[in-house]
Structures are given as C-alpha cells and as structure tokens.
Amino acid sequence: MTSLTASEVPSYLAARPALCGLVDPATLTVSEVGDGNLNLVFICADGAGRRVVLKQALPYVRLVGPDWPMTEERATREANALRVHGQLSDNICRLIDFDADRYVLVLEDLSDHEVLRTRLNAGGPHAGVTEPLAEYVADVAFGTSFLALGEEEFRRRAAAAANPELCAITEDLILTEPFLGAARNSVRPSAEPLVAELQADPAWVDAAMAMKHRFVTVQEALLHGDLHSGSVFVRGTEGSPDFSVKAFDPEFAWYGPVGFDLGLLWANMLFAAARAEVLGDHARARDLVATCEITWDRFRTRLRGHWPDRRCPAKYPDAYLTRWLAEIRADALGFAGCEAARRTIGLAKVSDLETLDDPGYARAATAMLRSSRLLLLRRATLGFDQLVDAFFGLLGSARCAG
Ligand code: SR1
Ligand code: MG
C-alpha cells in the first residue's frame, strides 16, 4: 500500500465512484492536517466550498516513525466501529466511504468543530459537552451487547472486531509501562520521586494489573477504545442551534469492558481540571471534576432507558442491570486511575499537563499520580464526593509541598 500525498488526493477522489458528487476534484484544495499519533489526515475543499476528510492508516506509528511498524488493518477496524456506532448514535463522526485496499477512510468534514482538549486548554466552554458522550457510550454499550444482539450474533461480531495490535498498544502504554517502568516513560524531575514511590507500591501496581486483566478478558460491547478529550470534536455551546459533539478516531475499537471508555474520559477531564486549578480558576476546576459524576448519571439513565429493549427480558431480571452498572462504575474508576498515570508518565502525554510551567506541572502531576492510586485502589467503593474532596486536597497539598 502506498501512502497518499496531498497532490495525489484529487485524482484519488476522482477515481472513487462512491465519492462522485461529494466534492469536485477539479477545483480541490487539499491540506494534510494529521496531528494525531498514528495517521495521515487530509482536509479536501472544492471551489464550491464542499468538504470531505480523508484519513489513511500508515504502516507504522506516526508518533515514533517507521521503527514502530503497525498494521494498516486498524483502518478496517475503525471503519467497522464508525459504521456500527453511527447506526446507534449521532455523537460519532460519520463514515462516508472506506477503501479497504488503500486503507483510506472518507469522513464527514468537522473542521467547523474544535478538538475538545484544545478548547479545554484554552479555557473554553464545556457545559453540556460530556453528557452526549455519556449517551454515546451507553447507546453503544447496549446496542452492541449480547443483550441487544443475542448471544450468537454477539460472538460473531466480537470475534470479527478483534483488534490485537491496537489493544497491545493500550496494554503496554496504559496498563503496564506506567506501573512497571519502561524506557519510553518520562516525567519532569519534580515528579520522579513520586513515580519511584508508586512503582515500589505493590498495591498500586497490583490494582493496575487487575485492570489489565479486565481489559484483556472482559468482552461486553464494541467500545471506542480511545475516548480521551483529543478524540472528541465540539462546535458551539450548550443550547445554541449549532451545538454539536462528536467522538472520532475509534481505531482502537474492540469488544471490551464498557467502563474503559468512561474511565478514559474521566481521567482526561481530571487533567483539564488539574490544569484549571493550577492556573487559578477553582470554579472551572470544580465544574470539570463534576463532569465525572454528571456523565455517570447520564450514562446510567441512558442504559436504564435501553434496558426494556433487551432480548428475552425474562432471562435477565432487573438485578442483572444493577450488578452490571456496579461493575461498569468500578471498571471506569479503575481505568481512569490507569489513564491518569499513563498520561503523566508514559508515551503520548497530554498538553493539559505538559504546557504548564514547572511549579504548575509539579502540582498537577502530583495530584494526578496520587489520584491514580486512589482511583485504582478504591474503585469498588469510591463516591464522587470523595473523589472531588480528595482531588482538591491533593492539589492543595501538592502546592504546599512544592
Ligand atoms: C502509539 S499511539 C499512542 C496513543 O495515541 C492514541 O491516541 C492512543 O491513546 C494511544 O495510546
Ligand atoms: Mg487518536
């Protein structure tokens, strides 16, 4: 497979019958805008202002280069997730076409949106943004589960959605390396003693390994697989006619534990909150932390709303849902603890933290690492009020210690 260049894109589009009429290749301007960790992304606009986006999987991890080869089949898995999720939710980027030979996805143009992380880092509005994401997770959790599909169809789909190479990235970067140590880990000097302390703490390490066990062995639904604030586009503000929230980039999709998607979202909202707090905006930080409980409530309500639609209700009494929700909640808290550690210590860090000055970084990194321990060790029982109190306590005590 050869990688596209911007100058080749017009002739590529002209040769794809499914794309005729979407844009005019003769008047196309193309810019490569991929700033993610893995792929090429081209924004294509024609003379009449019509736009589409092309995303092509490279045969390696873009963040590192050809020294880290990576299957292009990830594009096929992403296309499948976009199709399936798009049938269940409006809060996911639309797939227009997929070229399975060249691993090119043609996607709706969302360039009038901004990446949620970019908006959050700039101090922009976030009210109402995470609720549609909670509904998206719930719609997909139910709609791709055996409760909705029946056991046989569920097993077929789960097998077809296996994504071992991308799951291996998650298993290494999120669920192993921050806890056991790795050459590609790094923190600033102010966080080194705490990282050493945590990596010598068997309770923290073992709790992370328990989450890895859940990640590898639990097969509940077709997840997004990478639902951090850099995987979400947002446009407008809550209540405005143009308000729109869309997840994108589900190339890590696989059948896994539903709490994984919620946990990644929560951890990334905590990074945004830590940033706001150290930059002096306590009210904003409180609102950002509150999105964890808000999304949990919205997710739970939405999943309960789907519950009457399960196949064979007699086989699955209401107590089943109560127990499942408790498992999802504990998983989400545990995976949030893993992501909090990973985005501080491991490869592919977050700009929320990395763009802070040294005193701010020390305070935020310390709070995120100690929160990781709290989330992991107390995942079965931790209340959201306790999380809020502990999180701000850690930010305060980190300031005193710094
Ligand atoms: C090598 S890929 C690094 C990270 O980028 C993606 O967004 C995922 O979060 C992955 O872990
Ligand atoms: Mg991504």
Side-chain angles (χ1 to χ4, degrees):
M1 193 280 303
T2 51
S3 302
L4 285 169
T5 62
S7 61
E8 290 166 347
V9 167
S11 55
Y12 173 82
L13 284 173
R16 296 283 299 169
L19 305 175
C20 288
L22 281 180
V23 284
D24 173 14
T27 60
L28 215 57
T29 51
V30 180
S31 43
E32 205 282 309
V33 296
D35 61 354
N37 294 328
L38 290 162
N39 307 295
L40 292 172
V41 179
F42 300 96
I43 294 187
C44 315
D46 70 11
R50 296 177 300 176
R51 290 164 171 262
V52 288
V53 171
L54 265 58
K55 174 176 174 180
Q56 185 178 35
L58 293 165
Y60 54 85
V61 173
R62 183 175 185 167
L63 177 68
V64 173
D67 286 348
W68 188 350
M70 185 51 55
T71 176
E72 297 135 297
E73 282 301 324
R74 65 185 189 267
T76 313
R77 295 156 193 164
E78 178 171 358
N80 177 57
L82 287 167
R83 264 192 217 108
V84 172
H85 289 190
Q87 288 162 3
L88 296 166
S89 172
D90 290 334
N91 297 112
I92 181 80
C93 178
R94 297 280 145 208
L95 177 70
I96 296 168
D97 183 44
F98 177 54
D99 176 351
D101 296 324
R102 296 194 69 183
Y103 302 106
V104 177
L105 301 107
V106 181
L107 302 161
E108 71 173 314
D109 170 53
L110 295 173
S111 50
D112 59 348
H113 291 56
E114 62 188 322
V115 175
L116 176 58
R117 190 185 306 283
T118 307
R119 180 186 279 203
L120 293 175
N121 280 351
H126 63 86
V129 169
T130 51
E131 289 88 332
L133 297 173
E135 293 185 351
Y136 158 65
V137 175
D139 293 347
V140 163
F142 183 79
T144 64
S145 72
F146 77 89
L147 295 159
L149 298 172
E151 287 85 339
E152 285 189 33
E153 175 65 8
F154 167 81
R155 288 194 181 282
R156 265 183 225 109
R157 290 202 194 190
N163 199 353
E165 299 88 352
L166 279 280
C167 284
I169 293 179
T170 300
E171 286 149 11
D172 289 342
L173 293 188
I174 305 184
L175 302 165
T176 304
E177 295 182 3
F179 308 94
L180 301 186
R184 54 191 170 191
N185 287 348
S186 62
V187 290
R188 293 189 210 171
S190 59
E192 284 174 357
L194 179 53
V195 171
E197 176 192 321
L198 287 168
Q199 288 177 346
D201 175 357
W204 185 63
V205 174
D206 185 56
M209 293 305 113
M211 297 318 301
K212 185 172 182 178
H213 180 92
R214 299 282 296 163
F215 182 90
V216 175
T217 61
V218 175
Q219 182 176 277
E220 292 178 332
L222 180 63
L223 307 188
H224 179 286
D226 196 25
L227 193 58
H228 57 87
S229 51
S231 297
V232 176
F233 276 127
V234 58
R235 184 188 62 199
T237 53
E238 185 181 33
S240 69
D242 65 339
F243 186 48
S244 170
V245 178
K246 304 254 188 187
F248 66 100
D249 249 6
E251 64 207 309
F252 285 77
W254 95 116
Y255 264 77
V258 169
F260 185 78
D261 278 351
L262 287 176
L264 259 56
L265 182 62
W266 290 354
N268 282 274
M269 297 309 288
L270 292 178
F271 275 106
R275 176 184 179 82
E277 180 71 12
V278 304
L279 292 179
D281 193 340
H282 181 65
R284 179 176 173 82
R286 288 202 84 87
D287 287 347
L288 286 162
V289 176
T291 61
C292 297
E293 183 166 13
I294 289 168
T295 49
W296 173 250
D297 289 345
R298 185 63 73 95
F299 168 84
R300 185 175 52 181
T301 300
R302 190 80 166 188
L303 195 62
R304 283 179 177 150
H306 288 303
W307 185 241
D309 298 331
R310 67 198 182 283
R311 290 182 175 223
C312 311
K315 282 182 9 192
Y316 306 106
D318 290 350
Y320 181 103
L321 177 61
T322 303
R323 182 188 44 75
W324 190 27
L325 281 165
E327 288 171 359
I328 294 170
R329 189 179 183 285
D331 280 347
L333 290 166
F335 287 122
C338 296
E339 174 79 345
R342 171 276 171 98
R343 296 286 184 191
T344 307
I345 302 172
L347 192 70
K349 295 185 166 59
V350 288
S351 49
D352 321 39
L353 182 63
E354 296 304 310
T355 57
L356 295 173
D357 64 13
D358 279 341
Y361 170 89
R363 203 172 147 206
T366 301
M368 292 307 298
L369 289 171
R370 292 222 180 271
S371 295
S372 163
R373 191 178 189 282
L374 177 79
L375 288 159
L376 276 163
L377 268 66
R378 298 205 23 218
R379 63 191 183 277
T381 56
L382 186 67
F384 286 106
D385 288 351
Q386 294 170 312
L387 173 62
V388 172
D389 289 348
F391 185 71
F392 286 106
L394 290 166
L395 279 162
S397 59
R399 177 172 43 190
C400 295

